[in-house]
mmCIF file of all heavy atoms in Angstrom:
data_model
loop_
_atom_site.group_PDB
_atom_site.id
_atom_site.type_symbol
_atom_site.label_atom_id
_atom_site.label_comp_id
_atom_site.label_asym_id
_atom_site.label_seq_id
_atom_site.Cartn_x
_atom_site.Cartn_y
_atom_site.Cartn_z
ATOM 1 N N ARG A 1 0.837 -1.187 0.000
ATOM 2 C CA ARG A 1 0.000 0.000 0.000
ATOM 3 C C ARG A 1 0.875 1.241 0.000
ATOM 4 O O ARG A 1 1.695 1.434 0.901
ATOM 5 C CB ARG A 1 -0.914 0.012 1.221
ATOM 6 C CG ARG A 1 -1.922 1.167 1.227
ATOM 7 C CD ARG A 1 -2.855 1.071 2.423
ATOM 8 N NE ARG A 1 -3.831 2.153 2.476
ATOM 9 C CZ ARG A 1 -4.995 2.140 1.857
ATOM 10 N NH1 ARG A 1 -5.360 1.089 1.135
ATOM 11 N NH2 ARG A 1 -5.821 3.182 1.954
ATOM 12 N N LEU A 2 0.687 2.061 -1.004
ATOM 13 C CA LEU A 2 1.411 3.311 -1.109
ATOM 14 C C LEU A 2 0.536 4.448 -0.609
ATOM 15 O O LEU A 2 -0.678 4.436 -0.784
ATOM 16 C CB LEU A 2 1.818 3.592 -2.556
ATOM 17 C CG LEU A 2 2.622 2.513 -3.277
ATOM 18 C CD1 LEU A 2 2.976 2.990 -4.678
ATOM 19 C CD2 LEU A 2 3.865 2.156 -2.491
ATOM 20 N N SER A 3 1.170 5.416 -0.001
ATOM 21 C CA SER A 3 0.450 6.574 0.487
ATOM 22 C C SER A 3 1.086 7.839 -0.046
ATOM 23 O O SER A 3 2.294 7.893 -0.279
ATOM 24 C CB SER A 3 0.437 6.603 2.017
ATOM 25 O OG SER A 3 -0.279 5.515 2.544
ATOM 26 N N CYS A 4 0.277 8.837 -0.220
ATOM 27 C CA CYS A 4 0.737 10.133 -0.678
ATOM 28 C C CYS A 4 0.146 11.187 0.233
ATOM 29 O O CYS A 4 -1.076 11.332 0.317
ATOM 30 C CB CYS A 4 0.298 10.363 -2.127
ATOM 31 S SG CYS A 4 0.665 12.013 -2.776
ATOM 32 N N ALA A 5 1.013 11.892 0.913
ATOM 33 C CA ALA A 5 0.579 12.960 1.796
ATOM 34 C C ALA A 5 0.663 14.277 1.043
ATOM 35 O O ALA A 5 1.708 14.614 0.485
ATOM 36 C CB ALA A 5 1.442 13.002 3.044
ATOM 37 N N ALA A 6 -0.427 14.997 1.022
ATOM 38 C CA ALA A 6 -0.500 16.244 0.281
ATOM 39 C C ALA A 6 -0.711 17.428 1.201
ATOM 40 O O ALA A 6 -1.391 17.329 2.218
ATOM 41 C CB ALA A 6 -1.632 16.197 -0.741
ATOM 42 N N SER A 7 -0.134 18.526 0.805
ATOM 43 C CA SER A 7 -0.349 19.771 1.522
ATOM 44 C C SER A 7 -0.673 20.852 0.504
ATOM 45 O O SER A 7 -0.055 20.924 -0.558
ATOM 46 C CB SER A 7 0.878 20.159 2.346
ATOM 47 O OG SER A 7 2.017 20.352 1.526
ATOM 48 N N GLY A 8 -1.656 21.653 0.824
ATOM 49 C CA GLY A 8 -2.082 22.692 -0.093
ATOM 50 C C GLY A 8 -3.589 22.841 -0.082
ATOM 51 O O GLY A 8 -4.315 21.852 0.081
ATOM 52 N N ARG A 9 -4.047 24.025 -0.286
ATOM 53 C CA ARG A 9 -5.476 24.313 -0.201
ATOM 54 C C ARG A 9 -6.296 23.688 -1.321
ATOM 55 O O ARG A 9 -7.505 23.512 -1.166
ATOM 56 C CB ARG A 9 -5.690 25.830 -0.198
ATOM 57 C CG ARG A 9 -5.146 26.539 1.022
ATOM 58 C CD ARG A 9 -5.452 28.026 0.952
ATOM 59 N NE ARG A 9 -4.901 28.740 2.096
ATOM 60 C CZ ARG A 9 -5.508 28.848 3.268
ATOM 61 N NH1 ARG A 9 -6.698 28.287 3.455
ATOM 62 N NH2 ARG A 9 -4.926 29.519 4.252
ATOM 63 N N THR A 10 -5.687 23.372 -2.436
ATOM 64 C CA THR A 10 -6.435 22.865 -3.583
ATOM 65 C C THR A 10 -6.673 21.365 -3.575
ATOM 66 O O THR A 10 -7.372 20.843 -4.433
ATOM 67 C CB THR A 10 -5.732 23.239 -4.899
ATOM 68 O OG1 THR A 10 -4.440 22.628 -4.945
ATOM 69 C CG2 THR A 10 -5.576 24.746 -5.022
ATOM 70 N N PHE A 11 -6.108 20.655 -2.639
ATOM 71 C CA PHE A 11 -6.191 19.201 -2.631
ATOM 72 C C PHE A 11 -7.618 18.672 -2.732
ATOM 73 O O PHE A 11 -7.894 17.744 -3.493
ATOM 74 C CB PHE A 11 -5.511 18.636 -1.382
ATOM 75 C CG PHE A 11 -5.615 17.146 -1.277
ATOM 76 C CD1 PHE A 11 -4.768 16.328 -2.005
ATOM 77 C CD2 PHE A 11 -6.571 16.564 -0.455
ATOM 78 C CE1 PHE A 11 -4.863 14.943 -1.914
ATOM 79 C CE2 PHE A 11 -6.671 15.181 -0.355
ATOM 80 C CZ PHE A 11 -5.811 14.378 -1.093
ATOM 81 N N ARG A 12 -8.510 19.234 -1.976
ATOM 82 C CA ARG A 12 -9.879 18.714 -1.899
ATOM 83 C C ARG A 12 -10.689 18.917 -3.167
ATOM 84 O O ARG A 12 -11.752 18.311 -3.311
ATOM 85 C CB ARG A 12 -10.604 19.335 -0.714
ATOM 86 C CG ARG A 12 -10.047 18.922 0.642
ATOM 87 C CD ARG A 12 -10.757 19.631 1.773
ATOM 88 N NE ARG A 12 -10.287 19.189 3.076
ATOM 89 C CZ ARG A 12 -9.185 19.626 3.658
ATOM 90 N NH1 ARG A 12 -8.429 20.534 3.046
ATOM 91 N NH2 ARG A 12 -8.830 19.166 4.850
ATOM 92 N N SER A 13 -10.243 19.725 -4.085
ATOM 93 C CA SER A 13 -10.997 20.008 -5.295
ATOM 94 C C SER A 13 -10.284 19.570 -6.570
ATOM 95 O O SER A 13 -10.705 19.933 -7.667
ATOM 96 C CB SER A 13 -11.316 21.503 -5.376
ATOM 97 O OG SER A 13 -10.132 22.276 -5.390
ATOM 98 N N ASN A 14 -9.255 18.766 -6.433
ATOM 99 C CA ASN A 14 -8.449 18.396 -7.587
ATOM 100 C C ASN A 14 -8.249 16.897 -7.714
ATOM 101 O O ASN A 14 -8.148 16.179 -6.728
ATOM 102 C CB ASN A 14 -7.084 19.082 -7.520
ATOM 103 C CG ASN A 14 -7.189 20.588 -7.550
ATOM 104 O OD1 ASN A 14 -7.440 21.224 -6.525
ATOM 105 N ND2 ASN A 14 -7.007 21.168 -8.730
ATOM 106 N N ALA A 15 -8.175 16.468 -8.969
ATOM 107 C CA ALA A 15 -7.900 15.068 -9.243
ATOM 108 C C ALA A 15 -6.482 14.711 -8.815
ATOM 109 O O ALA A 15 -5.576 15.542 -8.866
ATOM 110 C CB ALA A 15 -8.087 14.778 -10.723
ATOM 111 N N MET A 16 -6.311 13.466 -8.422
ATOM 112 C CA MET A 16 -5.012 12.965 -8.022
ATOM 113 C C MET A 16 -4.725 11.683 -8.791
ATOM 114 O O MET A 16 -5.635 10.905 -9.079
ATOM 115 C CB MET A 16 -4.975 12.678 -6.524
ATOM 116 C CG MET A 16 -5.242 13.885 -5.642
ATOM 117 S SD MET A 16 -3.893 15.093 -5.710
ATOM 118 C CE MET A 16 -2.566 14.154 -4.936
ATOM 119 N N GLY A 17 -3.480 11.475 -9.096
ATOM 120 C CA GLY A 17 -3.131 10.293 -9.860
ATOM 121 C C GLY A 17 -1.874 9.616 -9.362
ATOM 122 O O GLY A 17 -1.063 10.205 -8.645
ATOM 123 N N TRP A 18 -1.748 8.367 -9.733
ATOM 124 C CA TRP A 18 -0.526 7.604 -9.508
ATOM 125 C C TRP A 18 0.055 7.211 -10.858
ATOM 126 O O TRP A 18 -0.662 6.721 -11.737
ATOM 127 C CB TRP A 18 -0.797 6.342 -8.695
ATOM 128 C CG TRP A 18 -0.994 6.577 -7.231
ATOM 129 C CD1 TRP A 18 -2.170 6.680 -6.566
ATOM 130 C CD2 TRP A 18 0.032 6.719 -6.248
ATOM 131 N NE1 TRP A 18 -1.954 6.875 -5.229
ATOM 132 C CE2 TRP A 18 -0.600 6.906 -5.002
ATOM 133 C CE3 TRP A 18 1.429 6.705 -6.298
ATOM 134 C CZ2 TRP A 18 0.106 7.080 -3.810
ATOM 135 C CZ3 TRP A 18 2.140 6.880 -5.116
ATOM 136 C CH2 TRP A 18 1.473 7.070 -3.896
ATOM 137 N N PHE A 19 1.323 7.428 -11.010
ATOM 138 C CA PHE A 19 2.055 7.052 -12.210
ATOM 139 C C PHE A 19 3.265 6.238 -11.795
ATOM 140 O O PHE A 19 3.672 6.263 -10.641
ATOM 141 C CB PHE A 19 2.491 8.292 -12.991
ATOM 142 C CG PHE A 19 1.356 9.075 -13.583
ATOM 143 C CD1 PHE A 19 0.577 9.913 -12.789
ATOM 144 C CD2 PHE A 19 1.056 8.974 -14.935
ATOM 145 C CE1 PHE A 19 -0.471 10.630 -13.316
ATOM 146 C CE2 PHE A 19 0.005 9.691 -15.484
ATOM 147 C CZ PHE A 19 -0.759 10.516 -14.680
ATOM 148 N N ARG A 20 3.840 5.546 -12.737
ATOM 149 C CA ARG A 20 5.038 4.787 -12.435
ATOM 150 C C ARG A 20 6.012 4.852 -13.597
ATOM 151 O O ARG A 20 5.634 5.055 -14.741
ATOM 152 C CB ARG A 20 4.703 3.328 -12.102
ATOM 153 C CG ARG A 20 4.132 2.521 -13.268
ATOM 154 C CD ARG A 20 3.665 1.157 -12.782
ATOM 155 N NE ARG A 20 3.169 0.332 -13.866
ATOM 156 C CZ ARG A 20 2.579 -0.840 -13.698
ATOM 157 N NH1 ARG A 20 2.414 -1.336 -12.467
ATOM 158 N NH2 ARG A 20 2.161 -1.541 -14.742
ATOM 159 N N GLN A 21 7.262 4.659 -13.272
ATOM 160 C CA GLN A 21 8.297 4.703 -14.286
ATOM 161 C C GLN A 21 9.334 3.627 -13.994
ATOM 162 O O GLN A 21 9.981 3.643 -12.949
ATOM 163 C CB GLN A 21 8.963 6.077 -14.333
ATOM 164 C CG GLN A 21 9.934 6.257 -15.475
ATOM 165 C CD GLN A 21 10.332 7.710 -15.665
ATOM 166 O OE1 GLN A 21 10.192 8.537 -14.765
ATOM 167 N NE2 GLN A 21 10.815 8.031 -16.846
ATOM 168 N N ALA A 22 9.468 2.708 -14.927
ATOM 169 C CA ALA A 22 10.453 1.649 -14.827
ATOM 170 C C ALA A 22 11.737 2.094 -15.514
ATOM 171 O O ALA A 22 11.712 2.984 -16.373
ATOM 172 C CB ALA A 22 9.920 0.374 -15.468
ATOM 173 N N PRO A 23 12.861 1.497 -15.161
ATOM 174 C CA PRO A 23 14.130 1.874 -15.786
ATOM 175 C C PRO A 23 14.071 1.776 -17.304
ATOM 176 O O PRO A 23 13.637 0.765 -17.854
ATOM 177 C CB PRO A 23 15.118 0.863 -15.206
ATOM 178 C CG PRO A 23 14.534 0.508 -13.877
ATOM 179 C CD PRO A 23 13.050 0.474 -14.123
ATOM 180 N N GLY A 24 14.487 2.831 -17.978
ATOM 181 C CA GLY A 24 14.514 2.838 -19.423
ATOM 182 C C GLY A 24 13.176 3.062 -20.091
ATOM 183 O O GLY A 24 13.092 3.029 -21.321
ATOM 184 N N LYS A 25 12.143 3.292 -19.310
ATOM 185 C CA LYS A 25 10.817 3.498 -19.871
ATOM 186 C C LYS A 25 10.259 4.853 -19.473
ATOM 187 O O LYS A 25 10.713 5.474 -18.516
ATOM 188 C CB LYS A 25 9.866 2.395 -19.413
ATOM 189 C CG LYS A 25 10.239 1.003 -19.889
ATOM 190 C CD LYS A 25 9.202 -0.014 -19.470
ATOM 191 C CE LYS A 25 9.555 -1.397 -19.978
ATOM 192 N NZ LYS A 25 8.531 -2.402 -19.571
ATOM 193 N N GLU A 26 9.267 5.299 -20.220
ATOM 194 C CA GLU A 26 8.615 6.560 -19.914
ATOM 195 C C GLU A 26 7.641 6.383 -18.770
ATOM 196 O O GLU A 26 7.154 5.287 -18.507
ATOM 197 C CB GLU A 26 7.889 7.098 -21.145
ATOM 198 C CG GLU A 26 8.801 7.479 -22.289
ATOM 199 C CD GLU A 26 8.066 8.131 -23.437
ATOM 200 O OE1 GLU A 26 6.821 8.067 -23.456
ATOM 201 O OE2 GLU A 26 8.728 8.714 -24.304
ATOM 202 N N ARG A 27 7.365 7.484 -18.113
ATOM 203 C CA ARG A 27 6.401 7.454 -17.035
ATOM 204 C C ARG A 27 5.017 7.126 -17.591
ATOM 205 O O ARG A 27 4.590 7.690 -18.601
ATOM 206 C CB ARG A 27 6.381 8.807 -16.332
ATOM 207 C CG ARG A 27 5.645 8.810 -15.009
ATOM 208 C CD ARG A 27 5.943 10.093 -14.229
ATOM 209 N NE ARG A 27 7.359 10.219 -13.941
ATOM 210 C CZ ARG A 27 7.881 11.191 -13.198
ATOM 211 N NH1 ARG A 27 7.096 12.114 -12.668
ATOM 212 N NH2 ARG A 27 9.187 11.236 -12.996
ATOM 213 N N GLU A 28 4.317 6.207 -16.935
ATOM 214 C CA GLU A 28 3.022 5.773 -17.420
ATOM 215 C C GLU A 28 1.942 5.890 -16.355
ATOM 216 O O GLU A 28 2.204 5.809 -15.157
ATOM 217 C CB GLU A 28 3.088 4.328 -17.919
ATOM 218 C CG GLU A 28 3.359 3.303 -16.838
ATOM 219 C CD GLU A 28 3.299 1.874 -17.343
ATOM 220 O OE1 GLU A 28 3.036 1.679 -18.551
ATOM 221 O OE2 GLU A 28 3.509 0.944 -16.546
ATOM 222 N N PHE A 29 0.745 6.048 -16.831
ATOM 223 C CA PHE A 29 -0.415 6.166 -15.964
ATOM 224 C C PHE A 29 -0.723 4.853 -15.276
ATOM 225 O O PHE A 29 -0.639 3.786 -15.883
ATOM 226 C CB PHE A 29 -1.620 6.611 -16.799
ATOM 227 C CG PHE A 29 -2.926 6.538 -16.069
ATOM 228 C CD1 PHE A 29 -3.256 7.476 -15.102
ATOM 229 C CD2 PHE A 29 -3.834 5.530 -16.352
ATOM 230 C CE1 PHE A 29 -4.460 7.410 -14.432
ATOM 231 C CE2 PHE A 29 -5.038 5.452 -15.695
ATOM 232 C CZ PHE A 29 -5.353 6.394 -14.731
ATOM 233 N N VAL A 30 -1.096 4.943 -14.015
ATOM 234 C CA VAL A 30 -1.478 3.766 -13.246
ATOM 235 C C VAL A 30 -2.924 3.870 -12.791
ATOM 236 O O VAL A 30 -3.748 3.009 -13.078
ATOM 237 C CB VAL A 30 -0.570 3.569 -12.020
ATOM 238 C CG1 VAL A 30 -1.062 2.398 -11.175
ATOM 239 C CG2 VAL A 30 0.871 3.338 -12.457
ATOM 240 N N ALA A 31 -3.233 4.930 -12.084
ATOM 241 C CA ALA A 31 -4.576 5.108 -11.546
ATOM 242 C C ALA A 31 -4.806 6.570 -11.210
ATOM 243 O O ALA A 31 -3.863 7.328 -10.986
ATOM 244 C CB ALA A 31 -4.779 4.246 -10.303
ATOM 245 N N ALA A 32 -6.062 6.957 -11.179
ATOM 246 C CA ALA A 32 -6.403 8.321 -10.814
ATOM 247 C C ALA A 32 -7.767 8.350 -10.153
ATOM 248 O O ALA A 32 -8.601 7.469 -10.368
ATOM 249 C CB ALA A 32 -6.397 9.232 -12.037
ATOM 250 N N VAL A 33 -7.991 9.369 -9.369
ATOM 251 C CA VAL A 33 -9.258 9.560 -8.684
ATOM 252 C C VAL A 33 -9.661 11.014 -8.822
ATOM 253 O O VAL A 33 -8.814 11.907 -8.780
ATOM 254 C CB VAL A 33 -9.150 9.135 -7.198
ATOM 255 C CG1 VAL A 33 -8.084 9.949 -6.474
ATOM 256 C CG2 VAL A 33 -10.492 9.267 -6.501
ATOM 257 N N ASN A 34 -10.945 11.250 -9.011
ATOM 258 C CA ASN A 34 -11.397 12.623 -9.177
ATOM 259 C C ASN A 34 -11.397 13.372 -7.853
ATOM 260 O O ASN A 34 -11.065 12.828 -6.806
ATOM 261 C CB ASN A 34 -12.779 12.659 -9.842
ATOM 262 C CG ASN A 34 -13.901 12.238 -8.899
ATOM 263 O OD1 ASN A 34 -13.693 11.501 -7.949
ATOM 264 N ND2 ASN A 34 -15.110 12.712 -9.186
ATOM 265 N N TRP A 35 -11.799 14.626 -7.924
ATOM 266 C CA TRP A 35 -11.706 15.507 -6.760
ATOM 267 C C TRP A 35 -12.490 15.027 -5.549
ATOM 268 O O TRP A 35 -12.075 15.273 -4.408
ATOM 269 C CB TRP A 35 -12.164 16.914 -7.152
ATOM 270 C CG TRP A 35 -13.586 16.973 -7.651
ATOM 271 C CD1 TRP A 35 -14.018 16.809 -8.931
ATOM 272 C CD2 TRP A 35 -14.752 17.206 -6.863
ATOM 273 N NE1 TRP A 35 -15.389 16.929 -8.989
ATOM 274 C CE2 TRP A 35 -15.859 17.176 -7.729
ATOM 275 C CE3 TRP A 35 -14.974 17.459 -5.499
ATOM 276 C CZ2 TRP A 35 -17.166 17.366 -7.286
ATOM 277 C CZ3 TRP A 35 -16.279 17.649 -5.057
ATOM 278 C CH2 TRP A 35 -17.351 17.602 -5.951
ATOM 279 N N SER A 36 -13.605 14.367 -5.778
ATOM 280 C CA SER A 36 -14.449 13.947 -4.667
ATOM 281 C C SER A 36 -14.198 12.509 -4.220
ATOM 282 O O SER A 36 -14.643 12.112 -3.146
ATOM 283 C CB SER A 36 -15.919 14.091 -5.045
ATOM 284 O OG SER A 36 -16.293 13.151 -6.037
ATOM 285 N N GLY A 37 -13.501 11.746 -5.049
ATOM 286 C CA GLY A 37 -13.289 10.346 -4.750
ATOM 287 C C GLY A 37 -14.386 9.446 -5.275
ATOM 288 O O GLY A 37 -14.363 8.236 -5.038
ATOM 289 N N SER A 38 -15.337 10.015 -5.997
ATOM 290 C CA SER A 38 -16.471 9.251 -6.499
ATOM 291 C C SER A 38 -16.185 8.507 -7.798
ATOM 292 O O SER A 38 -16.919 7.587 -8.155
ATOM 293 C CB SER A 38 -17.681 10.169 -6.697
ATOM 294 O OG SER A 38 -17.424 11.149 -7.682
ATOM 295 N N LYS A 39 -15.146 8.902 -8.502
ATOM 296 C CA LYS A 39 -14.799 8.268 -9.767
ATOM 297 C C LYS A 39 -13.321 7.920 -9.792
ATOM 298 O O LYS A 39 -12.480 8.666 -9.294
ATOM 299 C CB LYS A 39 -15.135 9.173 -10.948
ATOM 300 C CG LYS A 39 -16.619 9.470 -11.119
ATOM 301 C CD LYS A 39 -16.907 10.191 -12.422
ATOM 302 C CE LYS A 39 -16.290 11.572 -12.432
ATOM 303 N NZ LYS A 39 -16.643 12.332 -13.676
ATOM 304 N N THR A 40 -13.024 6.792 -10.408
ATOM 305 C CA THR A 40 -11.642 6.355 -10.532
ATOM 306 C C THR A 40 -11.366 5.874 -11.945
ATOM 307 O O THR A 40 -12.279 5.560 -12.704
ATOM 308 C CB THR A 40 -11.312 5.221 -9.547
ATOM 309 O OG1 THR A 40 -12.204 4.120 -9.772
ATOM 310 C CG2 THR A 40 -11.461 5.694 -8.107
#
């Protein structure tokens, strides 16, 4: 389980995402959640 701690006033109204990058490869999309957490 990975965690991301955020600081900033805009956190609650903004989408958040997880990306990953393997050696020699470009950063790729993994998962994202909308501002409210209702959509992924």
Side-chain angles (χ1 to χ4, degrees):
R1 185 177 180 86
L2 305 182
S3 295
C4 174
S7 61
R9 294 182 182 276
T10 62
F11 177 80
R12 293 177 177 81
S13 60
N14 298 82
M16 300 291 294
W18 283 98
F19 293 77
R20 66 188 183 187
Q21 187 167 20
K25 296 184 178 180
E26 295 186 347
R27 193 167 299 185
E28 66 175 0
F29 170 75
V30 175
V33 60
N34 74 334
W35 60 272
S36 69
S38 63
K39 296 189 294 184
T40 57

